[in-house]
DNA sequence: TTGGCGAATGCACTTGTGTGCAAGCGTCAA
DNA sequence: TTGACGCTTGCACACAAGTGCATTCGCCAA
């Protein structure tokens, strides 16, 4: 049986003719080693292809491992979140284990247990719905827990979120300024805290102003769901002329069907606002007005939290979404 | 200083009133433990919140860690590859460390060294160009190395690839059957082995048949590059009426500009073929004819390779791309 | 020559696990 | 009653690192 044969510090020590401690010290900053032995050790290490075993190091101190829990990775917005998070964590010396979870609680539980098995220093939840008890297990084991865009407010965990109510309010304002009279809202049946919040604020403020809003709940948060929603909304008479889709993907599907199957011109006959600012929103076929999440800043904040480690552990930070004006909404008209 | 206080097997043993070995055996399949002690151990473990430390376990045997090296994660095709790979690896009991690399060799080297530091059992390279010497270091340390869609054929590493020449040939055939006379090819300056192969075969066969092909090399493999290519190709007189873009993203940008800025109808005036079958290719605005990579099958094969471990370690497996017919190419016409 | 001092080095212990080996214990048959 | 046998269980070691403590070595000054 092949036994994995990694080269260990002992082998290096033997080859260099020094003690194993000397090898260890050579690779430890600030330890006391003479220049001569240091060189001998480095030579031997190079010849054998030695690499410090971080697993063994992690036995005593921190493992430098961060678990990234994420679902629906193929979604453009998620892909970007994962990309930015892993990049920044890596740059800061962390190594990230990705746990890809379906949305069902079962697989998330299994995955989070892995987190504990590998003694991750921290767990960052991008999506998925981990059971509160498991999160508590992570906390009990001394892990730092960071939740992004979720409302579960658990003692001891940090939370980052985008200010969804601000987005809902601003979306309404944009459509009103464009002169839209019949408002519509397209949301998904996912009913995440973020989605619900955007939806709620948009509808509440509109109704408070005496405006009617047609709410359509589509399927999952996909292009196809957006397309279906458009068919339902415009299938009956008197469809809306201004729509807030709580997600860019929904918006893009919605736009395609509104144009192709109902001959509506955007933004002349119909204004659309999305949320996320995925790459495709900027494509010529869409030019969707939307809101960007400040992902880089959020990732930076996460990394800061992990590096501080002792910092106020239980807090909640809100980030402002950035409005991105494109052509799917008419520019402001004179209010009469 | 907070000392991370993880629960160890010794603590469980003390609480349960048994030896530490008993705890170890309780969590090892097939080990000899009486039903009574087993129950005592499980009770104590539950009460304390104990989880086996896989890092320590990895000291002696395999770590069950797989390193996934990937660049350009936000690209739809890459996001799907990462999604499918992590999902399948996870289902098979592996844990994946994602190494997000810029394309420059430096960062890939640094990342791969991490791979060695954490004693990953295997390294799977989805993209990026690791230096041959580092791959050899991985192999020397007993790691399994799997390269996907790259041509570096290193002794001891396994390679999976899509049959790019088949795609190039088939793309040409589709355009010819649609009656296209003036052929074009859009590629990127990335010049990956895969891209070069698709390009080469398309051009070679076409020229062998006496057909002229206008080759345009755009920037990186993005939507914007495709858009630029279209402007260059149609800016001069006598633009092509049948184009193979070596990537879907290029194709989508190409289509948008061809339609919006040059008023060309697709597929009446212009036929377009892509490659990858990203989700957006199926959107109503595009309906791009393209080739799908059998990603699930490829991931399954990777997992099989890792699980076999002793299997013929150095081999190369080719997968057939699957043609996806949509509306960006005219259906076959009678050949006169 | 000797005492003193600082730098370098090695010993031994720590971390959390799995496991070979031998001892212990209980049961059953002769 | 005793020997044999099998299931449990604990001891001790291995794994690969970091580090406190004591020891050694070299150098310098008195």
């Amino acid at each position: 049986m092949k036994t994995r044969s990694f080269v260990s510090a002992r082998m290096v020590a033997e080859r260099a003719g020094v003690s194993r401690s000397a090898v260890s010290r050579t690779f430890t900053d600030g330890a006391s080693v003479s220049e001569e032995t240091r060189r001998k050790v480095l030579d031997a290490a190079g010849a054998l292809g030695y690499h410090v075993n971080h697993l063994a190091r992690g036995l005593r101190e921190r493992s430098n491992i961060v678990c990234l829990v994420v679902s629906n990775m193929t979604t453009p917005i998620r892909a970007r979140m994962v990309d930015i998070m892993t990049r920044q964590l890596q740059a800061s010396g962390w190594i990230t284990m990705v746990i890809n979870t379906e949305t069902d609680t079962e697989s998330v539980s299994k995955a989070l247990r892995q987190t504990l098995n590998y003694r991750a220093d921290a767990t960052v939840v991008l999506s998925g719905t981990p059971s509160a008890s498991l999160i508590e297990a992570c906390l009990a084991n001394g892990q730092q827990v960071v939740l992004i865009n979720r409302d579960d407010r658990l003692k001891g965990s940090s939370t980052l979120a985008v200010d969804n109510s601000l987005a809902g309010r601003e979306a309404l304002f944009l459509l009103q300024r464009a002169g839209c009279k019949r408002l519509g809202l397209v949301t998904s049946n996912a009913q995440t805290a973020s989605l619900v919040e955007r939806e709620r604020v948009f509808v509440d403020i509109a109704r408070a102003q005496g405006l009617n809003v047609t709410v359509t709940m589509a399927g999952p948060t996909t292009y196809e769901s957006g397309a279906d929603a458009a068919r339902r909304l415009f299938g009956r008479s008197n469809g809306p002329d201004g729509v807030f889709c709580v997600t860019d993907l929904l918006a893009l599907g919605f736009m395609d069907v509104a144009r192709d199957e109902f001959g509506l011109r955007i933004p002349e006959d119909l204004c659309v606002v999305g949320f996320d600012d995925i790459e495709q929103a900027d494509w010529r076929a869409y030019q969707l007005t939307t809101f960007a999440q400040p992902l880089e800043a959020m990732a930076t904040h996460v990394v800061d939290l992990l590096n501080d480690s002792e910092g106020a552990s239980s807090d909640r930070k809100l980030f402002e979404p950035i409005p991105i004006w494109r052509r799917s909404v008419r520019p402001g008209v004179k209010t009469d």
Side-chain angles (χ1 to χ4, degrees), chain A:
Chain A
M1 188 180 100
K2 199 171 74 181
T3 99
R4 295 293 337 280
S5 76
F6 267 104
V7 12
S8 72
R10 186 162 46 83
M11 303 184 205
V12 177
E14 277 169 15
R15 174 163 182 137
V18 299
S19 82
R20 201 191 57 70
S21 309
V23 178
S24 195
R25 278 188 249 267
T26 301
F27 292 101
T28 308
D29 279 352
S32 165
V33 209
S34 76
E35 201 47 49
E36 191 195 343
T37 44
R38 167 184 217 82
R39 206 186 37 68
K40 280 197 288 186
V41 167
L42 288 181
D43 284 355
L48 294 174
Y50 170 71
H51 294 266
V52 176
N53 186 338
H54 282 194
L55 264 47
R57 171 189 285 171
L59 276 187
R60 321 191 82 251
E61 344 176 348
R62 338 186 65 227
S63 62
N64 273 330
I65 294 176
V66 174
C67 261
L68 202 62
V69 178
V70 60
S71 67
N72 293 324
M73 280 187 63
T74 53
T75 301
I77 184 70
R78 286 289 158 65
R80 268 186 56 209
M81 289 173 97
V82 173
D83 178 51
I84 292 174
M85 277 303 308
T86 53
R87 200 189 308 253
Q88 288 212 19
L89 284 172
Q90 211 167 284
S92 188
W94 300 90
I95 188 94
T96 75
M97 286 181 161
V98 167
I99 306 267
N100 185 346
T101 79
E102 296 309 291
T103 40
D104 74 293
T105 325
E106 171 56 31
S107 75
V108 184
S109 304
K110 199 175 139 206
L112 267 186
R113 235 179 296 270
Q114 289 273 20
T115 278
L116 292 170
N117 286 339
Y118 281 93
R119 293 298 188 267
D121 291 330
T123 297
V124 177
V125 181
L126 288 185
S127 52
T129 324
S131 76
S133 69
L134 263 169
I135 293 278
E136 273 161 17
C138 292
L139 287 166
N141 275 290
Q143 285 195 358
Q144 237 176 315
V145 175
V146 180
L147 306 172
I148 297 188
N149 282 339
R150 359 221 70 253
D151 65 339
D152 336 76
R153 195 186 301 225
L154 284 151
K155 250 202 183 60
S157 66
S158 311
T159 308
L160 315 208
V162 167
D163 190 341
N164 289 296
S165 64
L166 191 148
R169 208 175 330 134
E170 187 76 10
L172 177 62
F173 172 71
L174 285 176
L175 292 177
Q176 283 185 308
R177 198 181 57 176
C180 300
K181 301 297 180 194
R182 301 179 307 281
L183 299 178
L185 178 125
V186 174
T187 185
S188 92
N189 61 8
Q191 293 293 297
T192 312
S194 309
L195 300 187
V196 171
E197 175 81 356
R198 297 206 269 277
E199 173 185 343
R200 194 182 56 73
V201 170
F202 183 87
V203 172
D204 281 1
I205 299 187
R207 296 215 169 126
Q209 299 182 9
L211 294 166
N212 191 29
V213 180
T214 313
V215 175
T216 306
M217 183 177 297
T221 317
T222 63
Y223 174 92
E224 277 309 325
S225 295
D228 288 347
R231 279 190 208 100
R232 270 197 270 159
L233 261 180
F234 297 114
R236 53 194 173 207
S237 62
N238 214 16
D241 63 347
V243 174
F244 177 36
C245 299
V246 293
T247 273
D248 277 2
L249 271 185
L250 289 172
L252 301 186
F254 188 88
M255 288 171 79
D256 271 347
V257 165
R259 281 187 296 212
D260 289 1
E261 298 184 13
F262 296 95
L264 296 167
R265 293 167 306 161
I266 297 172
E268 292 82 358
D269 307 325
L270 171 69
C271 294
V272 180
V273 177
F275 188 96
D276 276 344
D277 190 34
I278 62 179
E279 203 191 333
Q280 289 76 19
D282 193 36
W283 287 5
R284 266 166 209 72
Y286 302 102
Q287 284 295 311
L288 175 65
T289 290
T290 184
F291 298 89
Q293 303 190 40
L295 296 178
E296 290 284 357
M298 292 167 77
T300 304
H301 187 247
V302 171
V303 171
D304 285 349
L305 279 176
L306 299 189
N307 288 342
D308 276 11
S309 99
E310 302 307 328
S313 56
S314 173
D315 59 348
R316 179 180 178 85
K317 174 141 179 161
L318 219 53
F319 289 80
E320 284 202 6
I322 303 148
I324 308 284
W325 293 283
R326 296 208 185 87
R327 291 202 299 269
S328 68
V329 174
R330 289 186 296 273
V333 295
K334 59 190 177 303
T335 45
D336 32 42

